[in-house]
Amino acid sequence: MRHWLWSLALLCSVFISISNAASPLPVWGKNAMVSSADPLATEVGVNILRSGGNAIDAAVGVAFALGVTENFSSGIGGGCFIVIRLADGTSVTIDGRETAPARATRLMFVPKDTTSPSYLSTMGVMAAGTPGEVAALELALKKYGTKTLAEVLEAPIALADTGFDVGIRYDIYLQNYAPFLGMFEGTKQIFFKNDSMTFAFGDRFVQQDLAATLRRISAEGAEGFYHGYVPETVDKYMRDHKGALRAADFESYAAIEREPVYGSYRGYDVISMPPPSSGGIHVIQMLGLLEDYDLGYFGAGSSDAIHLIAEAMQIAFADRAEFLGDPGFVNVPTAGLMNPDYLNQQRMLINRLQHDKLDGPGNPQDFLPPEIEHPDLKHTTHLSVIDNLGNAVAITATINTPFGCGVIVPGTGFFLNNEMDDFVTWPGRPNYFGLIGKEANEIEPGKRPLSSMTPTILVRDGKPIMVLGGAGGPRIITGTLLTIINSIDFGMSLQAAIDYPRFHNQWVPDYLFLEQEYAIDLMEALRDKRHNIYPQTHWANVNAVSADTLYGGFWGASDSRGSGLAKGF
Ligand code: GLY
C-alpha cells in the first residue's frame, strides 16, 4: 500500500519528496515553511509564523535577520527584490534595488591610466549605491503583512544586540576576507577582537551599532533610515573619504512596486522579477526555449540534456548583455524577449548535436506586441516562505560581493553595498562576475544596476507550488532554472533538485562551467559536443519551499552547498 502511494505521489506531484542517493529528504511541515541561508534567520521566520504572522511578516523578519547573522551577503546597506503571491491570487513584486548616487557618472570607475586595473567599483566608498532594502521591506510589510516593523524586528535586534556564536561558514568568510575587512577603520572596530585577529569560530559576535540602527527603524520606520542620523553620518564620512553617496540620495530613495513577469512551463505558471532584474525574463526565456525538448527522456546529468540547457543559457545571456537595464532609463523589450514566436526563432539557433558559439543577441524588438503596455510604475541571499493561508514570498537580497564594499561607516553598524559594480563600469570590460553589458546598463545618476537576482514563484491550478531563488551572481539565474527543471522534468525531490550538480553558460566567456561532481566521461562527452568545459566549485546557494499537492503541507530545502536551514511546523 505504502509503495503504491509513493508511486502515485511520483506520478501526481513532481514536488513530492522522493529519495535521492545524493541528498537527504527535504523537511516537511503541516502549516508553513521557511527556507533561508542561515539557521538563526530561518528560526526568526518560523517564530513569526507560529505567533500568527503570515508569510510576508515572516519573510520580512528573515530578511532583517539575515542582515545580522549573514551580513557578508545582505543587509540594510544593500538592496533586494521581493516577489509575492497573495492568497487572493494576485501577484506583485517590490524593487528595492540600489540606485546610483546623484554624483555618479558614466565613466567614474575608468582610471586615467587605462593600462592599470580598477577596483573602485568593488572596494571602498565609491562602490556604494543608495541602499534600498529597508524601503522595500517596509513597503511589503505595510501593504501585505499583518505585523508591525517593531514586531518583526524584535528578534533581529536581539541577534545584533546580544550576539550569536560564529559558525563555520561565517568563520571561513571572516578568515578569507580579514585583510579586506582590516582596510576600513569602522569595519575593523567591529570585526577584529584585537589589532590582528577577527572574531572566529565559537566566538560570540555582537553588533551594537547595527542593533541601534535597527532600533531606529523599529521606532521610526524606513523614515528612521532614510532621514536624519544615518544619512547624515554616511554623508559626512563620504565627504571625508571622497565617496559619492550623499544624504540627499537616501532622502530621495523609493522602493518601486512593479508588475511581475509571467511565463509558463509544462503546465506551471512562472511568476518572477521584472527588470532591473534580468533573472525573471531569462528564466522564462530559457524555459520557453527548452519546453520543446523531452529533457526527462534524456535524463538528469546526461550530456544531451546538459548540452541543450547550456545552449539555451547562452542565448539568454547574449540577450541579457544587449538589452537589459533599468526600465526607468532604457526601453527593455521585455514582452519581445519572452514572446513564444521569438523563442521559436531563437530555438533554431540550437544545434542538437554540438555547441556553436553564438554570434550575438537576437532581435526581441521585432516581437513586441504592437502596443506595449506600460504597467503602472506603481554575495546575496535568498529566502522563501509559504503559509497555509495561500501566501508565498520569495526575497533575494544582496550587498553584492562578500561584505559589499567593505565599508561600515562608524556609528551605523551595516556594510555598504558595492552594487555599482553591477553596472557596466568600464565599457567593453566584464564586471566582477565576468558579465558584459552595453549602453542599457551604463551608469547614470539615480539608475538601478542590472541584477541577476531571480526570486520566483511557480503556480499550478491557482495555487503556489514552489517558491525559490538563490545567491551567486549570474549563477542565480541558471541555479533557479536548473532547480525548476530538476523538479519538473527529472522528478527530483526539492532537496535533490537543489543539490544536484549544476552547470552554467553565460555566453561570454564561452565556457560551459560544470560543478566538479560531474564524471570525467560526461565531461568528455560534452567536449565531443564542442563545449569548452570549465570545472569549478563556485556555485549558487538556492533556498526553496514547495507545497505538497497530494498530501498537504509543505516541503522545504536549503542548498547543501551552504549552511542554511529549511524549517516548518
Ligand atoms: N549583485 C548581484 C546581482 O544583483 O546580480
PDB file of all heavy atoms in Angstrom, residues 234-246:
ATOM      1  N   VAL A 234      26.521  58.983   7.133  1.00  0.00           N
ATOM      2  CA  VAL A 234      27.120  58.457   5.898  1.00  0.00           C
ATOM      3  C   VAL A 234      27.635  59.626   5.051  1.00  0.00           C
ATOM      4  O   VAL A 234      28.745  59.588   4.502  1.00  0.00           O
ATOM      5  CB  VAL A 234      26.089  57.618   5.096  1.00  0.00           C
ATOM      6  CG1 VAL A 234      26.636  57.236   3.726  1.00  0.00           C
ATOM      7  CG2 VAL A 234      25.700  56.364   5.880  1.00  0.00           C
ATOM      8  N   ASP A 235      26.853  60.680   4.959  1.00  0.00           N
ATOM      9  CA  ASP A 235      27.207  61.862   4.153  1.00  0.00           C
ATOM     10  C   ASP A 235      28.551  62.438   4.604  1.00  0.00           C
ATOM     11  O   ASP A 235      29.465  62.661   3.794  1.00  0.00           O
ATOM     12  CB  ASP A 235      26.080  62.901   4.295  1.00  0.00           C
ATOM     13  CG  ASP A 235      26.250  64.074   3.346  1.00  0.00           C
ATOM     14  OD1 ASP A 235      27.316  64.701   3.366  1.00  0.00           O
ATOM     15  OD2 ASP A 235      25.301  64.359   2.577  1.00  0.00           O
ATOM     16  N   LYS A 236      28.687  62.602   5.910  1.00  0.00           N
ATOM     17  CA  LYS A 236      29.931  63.201   6.433  1.00  0.00           C
ATOM     18  C   LYS A 236      31.118  62.295   6.103  1.00  0.00           C
ATOM     19  O   LYS A 236      32.166  62.743   5.644  1.00  0.00           O
ATOM     20  CB  LYS A 236      29.804  63.412   7.945  1.00  0.00           C
ATOM     21  CG  LYS A 236      31.076  63.958   8.558  1.00  0.00           C
ATOM     22  CD  LYS A 236      30.918  64.499   9.933  1.00  0.00           C
ATOM     23  CE  LYS A 236      32.208  65.138  10.463  1.00  0.00           C
ATOM     24  NZ  LYS A 236      33.446  64.717   9.863  1.00  0.00           N
ATOM     25  N   TYR A 237      30.944  60.978   6.302  1.00  0.00           N
ATOM     26  CA  TYR A 237      32.022  60.023   6.036  1.00  0.00           C
ATOM     27  C   TYR A 237      32.401  60.057   4.552  1.00  0.00           C
ATOM     28  O   TYR A 237      33.576  60.042   4.183  1.00  0.00           O
ATOM     29  CB  TYR A 237      31.563  58.620   6.442  1.00  0.00           C
ATOM     30  CG  TYR A 237      32.632  57.565   6.337  1.00  0.00           C
ATOM     31  CD1 TYR A 237      33.471  57.286   7.412  1.00  0.00           C
ATOM     32  CD2 TYR A 237      32.812  56.835   5.158  1.00  0.00           C
ATOM     33  CE1 TYR A 237      34.456  56.311   7.322  1.00  0.00           C
ATOM     34  CE2 TYR A 237      33.791  55.866   5.051  1.00  0.00           C
ATOM     35  CZ  TYR A 237      34.604  55.606   6.134  1.00  0.00           C
ATOM     36  OH  TYR A 237      35.583  54.637   6.030  1.00  0.00           O
ATOM     37  N   MET A 238      31.395  60.101   3.705  1.00  0.00           N
ATOM     38  CA  MET A 238      31.641  60.093   2.256  1.00  0.00           C
ATOM     39  C   MET A 238      32.408  61.352   1.834  1.00  0.00           C
ATOM     40  O   MET A 238      33.326  61.290   1.023  1.00  0.00           O
ATOM     41  CB  MET A 238      30.312  60.012   1.495  1.00  0.00           C
ATOM     42  CG  MET A 238      29.657  58.654   1.586  1.00  0.00           C
ATOM     43  SD  MET A 238      30.458  57.470   0.490  1.00  0.00           S
ATOM     44  CE  MET A 238      29.887  55.924   1.183  1.00  0.00           C
ATOM     45  N   ARG A 239      32.021  62.494   2.386  1.00  0.00           N
ATOM     46  CA  ARG A 239      32.746  63.733   2.041  1.00  0.00           C
ATOM     47  C   ARG A 239      34.198  63.637   2.501  1.00  0.00           C
ATOM     48  O   ARG A 239      35.117  64.018   1.784  1.00  0.00           O
ATOM     49  CB  ARG A 239      32.070  64.949   2.681  1.00  0.00           C
ATOM     50  CG  ARG A 239      30.770  65.341   2.010  1.00  0.00           C
ATOM     51  CD  ARG A 239      30.074  66.473   2.763  1.00  0.00           C
ATOM     52  NE  ARG A 239      28.666  66.527   2.408  1.00  0.00           N
ATOM     53  CZ  ARG A 239      28.174  67.268   1.413  1.00  0.00           C
ATOM     54  NH1 ARG A 239      28.966  68.026   0.707  1.00  0.00           N
ATOM     55  NH2 ARG A 239      26.874  67.240   1.137  1.00  0.00           N
ATOM     56  N   ASP A 240      34.397  63.093   3.717  1.00  0.00           N
ATOM     57  CA  ASP A 240      35.764  62.989   4.257  1.00  0.00           C
ATOM     58  C   ASP A 240      36.615  61.995   3.477  1.00  0.00           C
ATOM     59  O   ASP A 240      37.832  62.083   3.481  1.00  0.00           O
ATOM     60  CB  ASP A 240      35.726  62.543   5.728  1.00  0.00           C
ATOM     61  CG  ASP A 240      35.131  63.619   6.624  1.00  0.00           C
ATOM     62  OD1 ASP A 240      34.972  64.760   6.141  1.00  0.00           O
ATOM     63  OD2 ASP A 240      34.808  63.312   7.790  1.00  0.00           O
ATOM     64  N   HIS A 241      35.960  60.981   2.848  1.00  0.00           N
ATOM     65  CA  HIS A 241      36.731  59.914   2.189  1.00  0.00           C
ATOM     66  C   HIS A 241      36.557  59.918   0.673  1.00  0.00           C
ATOM     67  O   HIS A 241      36.840  58.921   0.002  1.00  0.00           O
ATOM     68  CB  HIS A 241      36.323  58.554   2.768  1.00  0.00           C
ATOM     69  CG  HIS A 241      36.716  58.375   4.198  1.00  0.00           C
ATOM     70  ND1 HIS A 241      35.991  58.901   5.247  1.00  0.00           N
ATOM     71  CD2 HIS A 241      37.787  57.774   4.760  1.00  0.00           C
ATOM     72  CE1 HIS A 241      36.581  58.609   6.392  1.00  0.00           C
ATOM     73  NE2 HIS A 241      37.675  57.921   6.119  1.00  0.00           N
ATOM     74  N   LYS A 242      36.063  61.016   0.135  1.00  0.00           N
ATOM     75  CA  LYS A 242      35.914  61.172  -1.327  1.00  0.00           C
ATOM     76  C   LYS A 242      34.958  60.140  -1.932  1.00  0.00           C
ATOM     77  O   LYS A 242      35.188  59.599  -3.018  1.00  0.00           O
ATOM     78  CB  LYS A 242      37.266  61.110  -2.031  1.00  0.00           C
ATOM     79  CG  LYS A 242      38.236  62.209  -1.625  1.00  0.00           C
ATOM     80  CD  LYS A 242      39.420  62.220  -2.579  1.00  0.00           C
ATOM     81  CE  LYS A 242      40.290  63.442  -2.434  1.00  0.00           C
ATOM     82  NZ  LYS A 242      40.718  63.795  -1.102  1.00  0.00           N
ATOM     83  N   GLY A 243      33.891  59.863  -1.236  1.00  0.00           N
ATOM     84  CA  GLY A 243      32.847  58.975  -1.767  1.00  0.00           C
ATOM     85  C   GLY A 243      31.770  59.783  -2.468  1.00  0.00           C
ATOM     86  O   GLY A 243      31.716  61.017  -2.356  1.00  0.00           O
ATOM     87  N   ALA A 244      30.869  59.100  -3.177  1.00  0.00           N
ATOM     88  CA  ALA A 244      29.852  59.807  -3.978  1.00  0.00           C
ATOM     89  C   ALA A 244      28.500  59.921  -3.269  1.00  0.00           C
ATOM     90  O   ALA A 244      27.718  60.823  -3.569  1.00  0.00           O
ATOM     91  CB  ALA A 244      29.668  59.084  -5.306  1.00  0.00           C
ATOM     92  N   LEU A 245      28.225  58.995  -2.369  1.00  0.00           N
ATOM     93  CA  LEU A 245      26.891  58.932  -1.746  1.00  0.00           C
ATOM     94  C   LEU A 245      26.666  60.130  -0.823  1.00  0.00           C
ATOM     95  O   LEU A 245      27.566  60.543  -0.091  1.00  0.00           O
ATOM     96  CB  LEU A 245      26.835  57.627  -0.935  1.00  0.00           C
ATOM     97  CG  LEU A 245      25.518  56.927  -0.671  1.00  0.00           C
ATOM     98  CD1 LEU A 245      24.717  56.711  -1.948  1.00  0.00           C
ATOM     99  CD2 LEU A 245      25.816  55.564  -0.003  1.00  0.00           C
ATOM    100  N   ARG A 246      25.447  60.661  -0.862  1.00  0.00           N
ATOM    101  CA  ARG A 246      25.104  61.822  -0.029  1.00  0.00           C
ATOM    102  C   ARG A 246      23.781  61.572   0.683  1.00  0.00           C
ATOM    103  O   ARG A 246      22.982  60.727   0.261  1.00  0.00           O
ATOM    104  CB  ARG A 246      24.958  63.089  -0.901  1.00  0.00           C
ATOM    105  CG  ARG A 246      26.247  63.535  -1.547  1.00  0.00           C
ATOM    106  CD  ARG A 246      27.205  64.157  -0.518  1.00  0.00           C
ATOM    107  NE  ARG A 246      28.440  64.619  -1.135  1.00  0.00           N
ATOM    108  CZ  ARG A 246      29.555  63.896  -1.269  1.00  0.00           C
ATOM    109  NH1 ARG A 246      29.595  62.636  -0.838  1.00  0.00           N
ATOM    110  NH2 ARG A 246      30.643  64.412  -1.818  1.00  0.00           N
TER     111      ARG A 246
END
